Amino acid sequence: MRYALLIYTSEDGPPPTDERMQQIMSAYNAYTEGVRKSGAYEYGDAFNPSSEAVTVRVRDGKTQTSEGPFQKTKETLGGIYVVKAHDQQHAIELAAGIPGAQWGSIEIRPLMELPTG
């Protein structure tokens, strides 16, 4: 089964120093390489800050947009991995290895297997 591992982190506080950012990226690169080698990796990416988000709604046929994410929360969606896992426990193990789990949280969402064609 495929799972989305959604990485949530706080955007509050000062941005990390260049040295800290290098440490973080190094940890993420190592994690990604490990998941690739295990065969579980399908996709991963980071998101720009939520201040760059736009939320779209269509009401009564009219498109409405608002700046920022849909919900204001303390933690925002910072990135995603899509992985193949044997079961939910395996997905939990993969999520626990994500560096951001140490200072944020990881939401695990099973992906629907939609018919193709």
Side-chain angles (χ1 to χ4, degrees), residues 8 11 50-51 53-55 57 66-77 107:
Y8 288 89
E11 292 180 338
S50 63
S51 60
V54 174
T55 299
R57 295 176 185 82
S66 58
E67 292 183 12
F70 174 65
Q71 295 180 338
K72 298 292 183 194
T73 61
K74 291 184 181 191
E75 291 186 331
T76 60
L77 186 58
E107 179 182 351

Side-chain angles (χ1 to χ4, degrees), residues 3-71:
Y3 291 86
L5 308 179
L6 305 168
I7 304 164
Y8 288 89
T9 189
S10 174
E11 292 180 338
D12 291 340
T17 63
D18 288 344
E19 181 180 336
R20 178 67 181 136
M21 184 56 82
Q22 280 186 322
Q23 292 171 342
I24 291 168
M25 293 311 301
S26 199
Y28 270 98
N29 290 337
Y31 172 79
T32 302
E33 185 61 26
V35 175
R36 279 191 172 125
K37 285 182 179 177
S38 77
Y41 181 86
E42 287 212 355
Y43 176 78
D45 222 330
F47 297 126
N48 283 335
S50 63
S51 60
E52 296 182 33
V54 174
T55 299
V56 176
R57 295 176 185 82
V58 177
R59 301 293 186 266
D60 298 321
K62 295 180 182 172
T63 302
Q64 303 169 356
T65 62
S66 58
E67 292 183 12
F70 174 65
Q71 295 180 338

